[in-house]
């Protein structure tokens, strides 16, 4: 299995809703990432988990809450989002460590719309 | 500051024609360079990955080159197909803990019949 699977593919939520994005990989990767991508822009790093521990938080607002329950799963919990948070949310995985990113793989993304 | 610049920003070509996309980077210390293809609303898919010692790498109709001295890379697409219409993103990885990636702004390619 060489894929990163993200669910759901599309999500529409209100500003008062609570929802979660899920990401799963079975490649044995121990680093997992969340990115946010706006239209016609490159992906922006949000969070990095290394060995199931949060290692990087790129000053993301607290309405985004990541969780890594085990080495294969990564969640992004959403609460009280704003319309400007509408974007494509990408999950990725790789091996951690310097220069060990040859297997860096992206999921297909979740298209999030906040209304 | 690590940066990756791509040109052109957008390109329109006719089906069957060839094209070349450019990438210049100032990422240090350099680890590797990737070209990704991204269809609208989908995640990036890796086309090639090259390390410092590699000059050329091919994947079907895609050929990437790397000049580590001038810090330039190119992606050549041969005999373009309608399905090649997508954004092509150059991504450079720095040899630091965390495998931080620096993304280029992408080239949006449209192949017309």
């Amino acid at each position: 299995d060489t894929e990163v699977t993200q669910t759901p593919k599309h999500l529409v939520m209100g500003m008062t809703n609570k929802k979660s994005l899920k990401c799963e990989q079975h490649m044995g990767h121990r680093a997992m990432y969340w990115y946010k991508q706006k239209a016609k822009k490159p992906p922006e790093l949000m969070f990095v988990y290394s060995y199931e521990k949060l290692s990087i938080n790129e000053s993301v607002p607290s309405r985004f809450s990541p969780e890594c329950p085990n080495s294969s799963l990564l969640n992004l919990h959403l609460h009280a989002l704003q319309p400007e948070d509408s974007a494509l949310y990408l999950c990725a995985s790789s091996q951690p460590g310097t220069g060990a990113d040859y297997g860096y793989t992206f999921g297909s993304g979740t298209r999030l719309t906040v209304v | 500051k690590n940066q990756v610049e791509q040109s052109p920003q957008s390109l329109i070509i006719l089906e069957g024609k060839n094209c070349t996309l450019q990438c210049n980077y100032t990422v240090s210390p350099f680890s590797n360079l990737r070209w990704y293809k991204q269809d609208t609303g989908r995640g990036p898919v890796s086309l090639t990955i090259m390390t410092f010692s590699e000059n050329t790498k091919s994947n079907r109709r895609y050929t990437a080159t790397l000049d580590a001295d001038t810090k330039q890379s190119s992606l050549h697409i041969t005999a373009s197909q309608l399905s090649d219409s997508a954004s092509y993103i150059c991504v450079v990885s720095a040899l630091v803990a965390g495998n931080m990636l620096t993304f280029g702004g992408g080239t949006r390619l449209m192949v017309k019949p």
Side-chain angles (χ1 to χ4, degrees):
Chain A
D1 188 350
T2 58
E3 289 188 347
V4 174
T5 302
Q6 289 188 243
T7 56
K9 292 191 185 306
H10 302 276
L11 178 63
V12 179
M13 60 184 291
M15 289 187 284
T16 58
N17 291 157
K18 287 185 180 180
K19 296 287 184 182
S20 296
L21 309 185
K22 297 186 183 301
C23 174
E24 188 169 3
Q25 58 87 17
H26 296 286
M27 294 179 280
H29 289 168
R30 301 303 296 275
M32 298 186 75
Y33 312 80
W34 280 115
Y35 286 85
K36 174 183 178 180
Q37 186 177 24
K38 302 288 274 186
K40 299 183 180 181
K41 296 290 187 182
E44 297 177 355
L45 183 65
M46 300 174 71
F47 302 105
V48 179
Y49 273 84
S50 181
Y51 296 102
E52 296 85 68
K53 293 190 187 306
L54 183 65
S55 60
I56 294 175
N57 177 343
E58 293 285 358
S59 303
V60 179
S62 60
R63 56 186 185 268
F64 296 91
S65 176
E67 177 197 21
C68 191
N70 60 56
S71 61
S72 299
L73 294 175
L74 184 66
N75 299 321
L76 186 63
H77 303 297
L78 314 172
H79 175 55
L81 294 194
Q82 303 297 312
E84 58 265 29
D85 296 322
S86 298
L88 180 68
Y89 287 84
L90 295 166
C91 174
S93 71
S94 75
Q95 289 296 6
T98 302
D101 62 340
Y102 299 130
Y104 210 109
T105 304
F106 284 90
S108 293
T110 293
R111 169 67 65 189
L112 174 67
T113 303
V114 181
V115 297
Chain B
K1 180 182 175 184
N2 290 337
Q3 286 189 316
V4 177
E5 301 286 341
Q6 290 187 242
S7 61
Q9 284 190 331
S10 61
L11 183 62
I12 301 174
I13 62 174
L14 293 176
E15 185 180 12
K17 297 296 186 182
N18 303 335
C19 66
T20 300
L21 315 180
Q22 301 291 342
C23 172
N24 296 337
Y25 63 92
T26 55
V27 175
S28 182
F30 176 85
S31 176
N32 58 68
L33 182 147
R34 287 187 177 80
W35 283 93
Y36 283 93
K37 177 186 179 186
Q38 185 174 24
D39 293 314
T40 301
R42 302 297 300 265
V45 175
S46 182
L47 297 175
T48 64
I49 177 171
M50 288 188 292
T51 59
F52 183 88
S53 59
E54 296 176 294
N55 301 119
T56 304
K57 185 165 280 189
S58 293
N59 176 5
R60 295 177 297 169
R61 294 179 295 102
Y62 302 104
T63 299
T65 66
L66 175 65
D67 185 333
D69 292 330
T70 61
K71 295 183 170 56
Q72 295 179 326
S73 176
S74 67
L75 180 69
H76 186 75
I77 304 175
T78 304
S80 60
Q81 300 176 357
L82 299 179
S83 58
D84 292 332
S85 296
S87 286
Y88 291 83
I89 307 174
C90 177
V91 183
V92 183
S93 176
L95 196 69
V96 296
N99 296 320
M100 302 308 291
L101 305 184
T102 303
F103 290 79
T107 293
R108 286 183 292 283
L109 174 66
M110 181 179 293
V111 180
K112 290 192 169 184

